[in-house]
Structure formats: structure tokens, C-alpha cells
């Protein structure tokens, strides 16, 4: 680690986190599966392939418009499995509870977990509960890990993005981050902004049904679309070009971002997925996405143009072009 | 939940935790796999069986004699897989780090994780890192989840314990709890007491090699041997009788327990396993256990005597008999 101490920014999904993970953690624990740094690990198991993933949730506040830590903890892990082309099957559930948490809050969170798991058609099959003293957590932290089965024949990985591919997204950027920050800071906007938190496994499955050439799925959570596309561009060693006019942002989130000084490209999402597939299949995929409840505002937002140094560029509305950098540290802490 | 708020005691491995899990959590999320409440979930996957488990580690202090939170987080999950008769294969690693943690401490923990994973022959294949503000955690919390493959033909479950079975343990009780509490409270004893924290998968595998009739493996962590045997007795609806003279306790731990007012039966372990198998196989199993580095002090400590209400009884040294209760709340918080 370059820094002497861990900073909030090390958890932000940007360059500092990539350095911490890439150097300090992989330096000790690296192996070919972990080094892939996908949303899920891909594991050979007999003649089948398993996806395995983990995520801890520390969102503050616990409840926000459109979701809560319980729904988030199911959707986050379900989506990481779906992004590997897997059908989510089993979840684990690890609670770290702060002494004094109201029983009623725990019950509401459990109900959200139940409802989200039912929608995603996954089962919670194992769990663990720890309690720490008052002041040693922040209400409740939840870890979920997930196991899924990868579709036969599917090969999805950041490295697979290649020139000639289109980049799609299933709807508006930034709603989750804005919803959480609004709740936390007590902001209210003319239009109420709800988190997009949702399980995307059924949508991902529909896409694979109509297109057997998907190169990459990735959910743009911490660090937003900017961080996720930079990671893909870096791993695939390609240039990705985005078109500002095609980037979907709701008017509410746009207004809030203008007011708060955020760029929607960097605001976290919890119900969005990026799809990279050959350009000639993009219309078919787009139509399928738009016919799903979680894809009505889907759009083609860019393309992969050439091999070389991994970089993301934006064609601006006024005809210019600028680099979309990997964020460095932490813009919005604890949004998941 | 009966109580209005979550208490430290809800995390203690005793009756209060069993009520929280059994009523509040299973009430919402119950399904046949989760309801089994084994150390691992047992999942059918094609023609194979997977074990899947999760554990969060919140031990305080982070470092203690014989181990640290990193070693603990690998061994705990490896052991939960091994207790299902599985060969541990893959681990996930979820860090929740408090802002300000020294980089050097993180590196020491990573090194412990690496060494323990190497010994257990498991691979860390997926991970997640979150950072929370200073004062919102206690240095670092770690969740590990694990996936393993269950041996063909093996059927291990608490319910399988039956009259005519012997109960064995692989060595001295209570060392882990005493080591952690000593470190935390700054106590020192004449004999230095080290945590027994160890990966038990190789030992478990050796036992299965020599005995194909193991009915139950279980690691007596939170709540100690007393809580674990009560859980088994309750699930199998059998009476378990222990013999005080046969219970292995190191002189150091014995002295510390006397001083602190603890009963070693209730003190947590992190490198112990209980084995329940037919009495006629017990000697074979015992000899195999004693020939392993983590089983040199193994002993036969009791037997399953009759069906009925689940209860654990102790034949005392002086010829009496008493009930070994399920602990109610929390004797030693945050020892794992």
C-alpha cells in the first residue's frame, strides 16, 4: 500500500481501490481466478461451471427511496452472478449487527431480503449473525455471497470487448447514488428520485436468449459507468467511445447532479447493466432489453473502436471529445 | 423477536441466538436447506453435492496468541465446510475496513490469510472491500464464504446421531476463548495459553478415510462444546452423556477458567471438532485422530444413550450427574 493508512477513498471503486486490490491484496493472494477481477469468479466444477461472488453492504442510511440495505444485499450479489452469465441459485447471508438495533428494523430488512430473493428466484441457504457493541458498527452491515450456474457455451469477460462492439445500458444513470445521498443529506428535489436497485438476472437471461455473442456484461456500481468502462477498457486494452447525446439520465437526476456538482457518469447505480456485443447484434439486443421491465429506457451509448491503450472517450453534445477518466478516490461514500 | 432491540447476547451462540435465528430469521427466509442449520448448506448440483457456508469475523483484539482475525477467517469457514464432509475448494473474502486502519496491519492480516489458505489447500477466488468512517467499525471485520465438494456417499448431519454412538473430540477445550479474553483484558497466566485456531479439513478427511459411518461432525465454536452438543441433541432428539473425567482441558486453560469463573465446556474453540460415530468404530477413529498434528490429545468424551427429549448430561468426577444446559446469552463476546 502506498498510503500509510486505509482511507475512505480506498473503498470508492476508483484508482485508489484498484491499487489497493491490485497491489496489496493480489500481491498476497493472487491466483489466475482472483486476478481476473470479474464480478464473479468462474469455477470449473465437474462438467459444469459455477459463478461465485461476494459483496458486503454498508449503505448509510439503511432505508432510502426505492430500496434498503436488505434489497440491496440481495440484488447486488444476484447481479454480480448474472453479469458472469450465470443463473443465480444460492445466497449466503452474513449479518454484523450493532447492539441496540431495533428489532422492528431487522424485521423490515428481513422482509426486503425475502421479497428480493423471491423476485430473483434465489434461495438463502446459509447464514451467520454476529453482534458487536454499540458504536462498533452503524446499525447493520450485511454480506451476501452467491453461487450460480453459468450457462453452457457462454463466455463473458471484460477481456472479450473488441473493436466493432456496441456498448448498451438498460436505462438511466445515477438514480441510486442520488437517492441515497438525498436521503442522507436530507435533500429534496422537485422530482422524487428513487434508487434503481433491482435484480437483473431475468433481463440478463433474456439478452443471452436472443444473442449468443455477448462479449461482456458488467454492472456499473461504485464509481458509476465511468469507472466500470475504464476497467473494461483497461482489461481488454481497447478504446471505448461514448456519445453524450445518447447517455440516458432522468431529468430529476440530471437536475440533482447539476445542483450537487456530480457528473452522472460517475454516480453509482444498483439496477443497471452495461452490455457489450457485436454492433450488428445491438438492435436485436436493444429491442429485447426495452421489452423488459428493467430495460424500458435502454440505449446504445457507445462503441469499442480500436485496440491499444485502454481509454474511454466522450463525444460531447457540442462536437468536442474528452477523456472520461477513471475516478481517483471516493465521490459518494457508503452508497452500497 | 421477543426483545425490542438486538443485544450482544443475540450473537453468543446460546438460546437467545437460537431464538433469533430460529424464529425471526427462519420465520422470514426459511426453506428446507436453511432450516437444517448445519455448519454448511448441502446443495445438489448435477450429480455432485456442494457445501456452501458463510461466517463473519469480528474478533477483538485483531491479534492474539496463536492467531489473528485473518487466520480465524480462513479456518472458521474451512472448518464449517469440513464439518459437512466436504473438501474445501474456494473461498470468498469480504473486508469491511474502518478508515484509518494502518496499512501494515492489513498486510499482516493478508499474510495470515495467505498462510492459512495454503495450509488448508483452498483458494481465495473472489473478494470485496468496503471502507467505513472512523468509529463505524473496529479496525476490520472479515466475512469469508466457502464452497466445497462433499465426498460421494458421505451423509453427515446432526440428526444422524443415534443411541449407541460415541462422542469424540480432537483435543483440549477452551484454549481459543481463554487466549482471546487474556489478550483483550491484559491477563497473563503462568502457562501461556494459545488459541487452537487451525484448519481441520485434513483431519476430517483422514477420519472419513478410516470410517464410512461417521454420523456427525461439528465444530464447537461460540457457546463451546456445551452449546454444540445441545444443538445436536435437540436436532437428533437424543440424550448425550458426557464423562467429566474424560474431558480434555489443558492445565493452563483449567487454571484460567477456575480463576475467571468459566466452565471449559462453554468456552469457544476454533480448532476443535466433535465426532459422533458408532461406538464400535470409536477406537479406530480415535487412533487416526491421535496420529494427526491437530488431534494428538483426542479423547472419547461421551456417548449417545437414548432417544427422547434432546438433553446433555454430565457424569461428574464425584459420581453425580448434572444437566449441561444450552447457554442462554453471551459469556465471551467477540471471540470470533
Amino acid at each position: 500500500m502506498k498510503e500509510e493508512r486505509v482511507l475512505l477513498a480506498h473503498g470508492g471503486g476508483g484508482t485508489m481501490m484498484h491499487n489497493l486490490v491490485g497491489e496489496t491484496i493480489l500481491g498476497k493472494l493472487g491466483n489466475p481466478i482472483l486476478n481476473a477481477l470479474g464480478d464473479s469468479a468462474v469455477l470449473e466444477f465437474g462438467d459444469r461451471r459455477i459463478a461465485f461472488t461476494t459483496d458486503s453492504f454498508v449503505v448509510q442510511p439503511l432505508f432510502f427511496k426505492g430500496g434498503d440495505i436488505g434489497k440491496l444485499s440481495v440484488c447486488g450479489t444476484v447481479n454480480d452472478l448474472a453479469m458472469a452469465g450465470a443463473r443465480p441459485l444460492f445466497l449466503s447471508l452474513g449479518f454484523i449487527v450493532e447492539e441496540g438495533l431495533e428489532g422492528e428494523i431487522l424485521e423490515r430488512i428481513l422482509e426486503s431480503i425475502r421479497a428480493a430473493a423471491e423476485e430473483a428466484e434465489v434461495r438463502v441457504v446459509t447464514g451467520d449473525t454476529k453482534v458487536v457493541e454499540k458504536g462498533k458498527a452503524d446499525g447493520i452491515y450485511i454480506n451476501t455471497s452467491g453461487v450460480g450456474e453459468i450457462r453452457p457455451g457462454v463466455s463473458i469477460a471484460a477481456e472479450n470487448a473488441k473493436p466493432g462492439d456496441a456498448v448498451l445500458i438498460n436505462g438511466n444513470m445515477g438514480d441510486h447514488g442520488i437517492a441515497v445521498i438525498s436521503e442522507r443529506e436530507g435533500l429534496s428535489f422537485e422530482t422524487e428520485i428513487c434508487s434503481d436497485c433491482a435484480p437483473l438476472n431475468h433481463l440478463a437471461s433474456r439478452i443471452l436468449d436472443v444473442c449468443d455473442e455477448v462479449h461482456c456484461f458488467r454492472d456499473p456500481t461504485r464509481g458509476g459507468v465511468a469507472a466500470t468502462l475504464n476497467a473494461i477498457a483497461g482489461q481488454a486494452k481497447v478504446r471505448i467511445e461514448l456519445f453524450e447525446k445518447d447517455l440516458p439520465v432522468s431529468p430529476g437526476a440530471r437536475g440533482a447532479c447539476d445542483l450537487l456538482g456530480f457528473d452522472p457518469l460517475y454516480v453509482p447505480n444498483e439496477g443497471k447493466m452495461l452490455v457489450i456485443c457485436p454492433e450488428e447484434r445491438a438492435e436485436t439486443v436493444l429491442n429485447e432489453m426495452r421489452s423488459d421491465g428493467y430495460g424500458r429506457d435502454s440505449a446504445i451509448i457507445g462503441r469499442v473502436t480500436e485496440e491499444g491503450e485502454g481509454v474511454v472517450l466522450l463525444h460531447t453534445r457540442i462536437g468536442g471529445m474528452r477523456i472520461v477518466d477513471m475516478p481517483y478516490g471516493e465521490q459518494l461514500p457508503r452508497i452500497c
Side-chain angles (χ1 to χ4, degrees), chain A:
Chain A
M1 245 176 87
K2 285 182 204 131
E3 298 76 14
E4 202 177 310
R5 291 173 182 275
V6 176
L7 307 174
L8 265 186
H10 280 113
T15 300
M16 285 182 69
M17 191 170 93
H18 284 262
N19 289 347
L20 172 69
V21 170
E23 289 162 25
T24 309
I25 298 181
L26 293 188
K28 278 286 180 205
L29 303 176
N31 61 57
I33 302 173
L34 189 63
N35 297 353
L37 292 178
D39 283 317
S40 290
V42 175
L43 310 170
E44 305 289 333
F45 195 78
D47 55 351
R48 300 177 180 218
R49 286 178 303 160
I50 289 177
F52 180 34
T53 188
T54 193
D55 236 329
S56 300
F57 297 86
V58 299
V59 66
Q60 180 56 30
L62 301 176
F63 298 88
F64 45 83
K65 289 190 182 68
D68 60 43
I69 192 171
K71 181 177 183 185
L72 206 56
S73 69
V74 172
C75 295
T77 289
V78 159
N79 292 349
D80 280 346
L81 294 172
M83 297 307 106
R87 184 161 72 94
L89 297 170
F90 307 111
L91 289 189
S92 69
L93 189 57
F95 290 126
I96 297 175
V97 184
E98 184 186 9
E99 184 187 12
L101 182 76
E102 290 171 43
E104 186 238 330
I105 289 183
L106 183 59
E107 305 226 10
R108 279 172 66 195
I109 291 169
L110 284 166
E111 170 55 24
S112 293
I113 290 171
R114 188 205 61 71
E118 183 175 292
E119 182 183 350
E121 298 178 57
V122 291
R123 275 188 295 179
V124 175
V125 294
T126 186
D128 176 60
T129 304
K130 294 289 191 301
V131 184
V132 296
E133 299 91 339
K134 206 159 174 57
K136 299 296 181 188
D138 201 3
I140 187 169
Y141 298 144
I142 303 180
N143 176 284
T144 53
S145 300
V147 170
E149 183 172 4
I150 299 174
R151 273 193 195 218
V154 165
S155 170
I156 292 180
E159 293 76 24
N160 295 355
K162 56 165 79 80
D165 282 352
V167 180
L168 297 88
I169 191 168
N170 64 317
N172 296 324
M173 299 186 304
D175 291 349
H176 176 71
I178 298 295
V180 171
I181 202 81
S182 303
E183 196 75 40
R184 189 154 75 206
E185 306 300 333
L187 307 173
S188 65
F189 300 104
E190 243 174 83
T191 323
E192 191 172 271
I193 299 152
C194 276
S195 167
D196 60 348
C197 179
L200 299 175
N201 52 317
H202 301 309
L203 171 58
S205 175
R206 291 181 65 167
I207 295 170
L208 295 174
D209 285 343
V210 299
C211 178
D212 55 6
E213 288 178 87
V214 170
H215 290 154
C216 185
F217 282 159
R218 200 51 91 83
D219 58 339
T221 55
R222 282 183 281 178
V225 168
T228 305
L229 286 181
N230 267 284
I232 293 172
Q235 285 186 268
K237 297 189 179 60
V238 294
R239 170 188 287 205
I240 296 175
E241 299 185 24
L242 300 176
F243 300 90
E244 192 177 18
K245 69 176 173 45
D246 299 327
L247 294 173
V249 186
S250 70
R254 166 77 63 202
C257 279
D258 286 349
L259 207 71
L260 298 167
F262 294 143
D263 179 341
L265 273 169
Y266 291 86
V267 180
N269 312 278
E270 288 291 341
K272 289 297 165 304
M273 61 187 291
L274 294 161
V275 183
I276 297 182
C277 69
E279 224 150 7
E280 57 273 23
R281 308 297 300 272
E283 280 299 324
T284 307
V285 169
L286 182 67
N287 289 334
E288 188 67 23
M289 288 168 74
R290 285 186 171 164
S291 69
D292 187 275
Y294 293 130
R296 274 191 288 264
D297 299 314
S298 294
I300 298 173
I301 60 171
R303 52 203 173 105
V304 182
T305 54
E306 58 187 78
E307 290 183 11
E309 206 190 348
V311 64
V312 181
L313 297 171
L314 181 74
H315 294 271
T316 65
R317 252 173 237 282
I318 55 167
M321 182 133 106
R322 69 169 172 89
I323 290 179
V324 177
D325 275 320
M326 177 67 107
Y328 190 72
E330 177 71 288
Q331 191 182 30
L332 290 166
R334 294 184 61 192
I335 45 67
C336 65

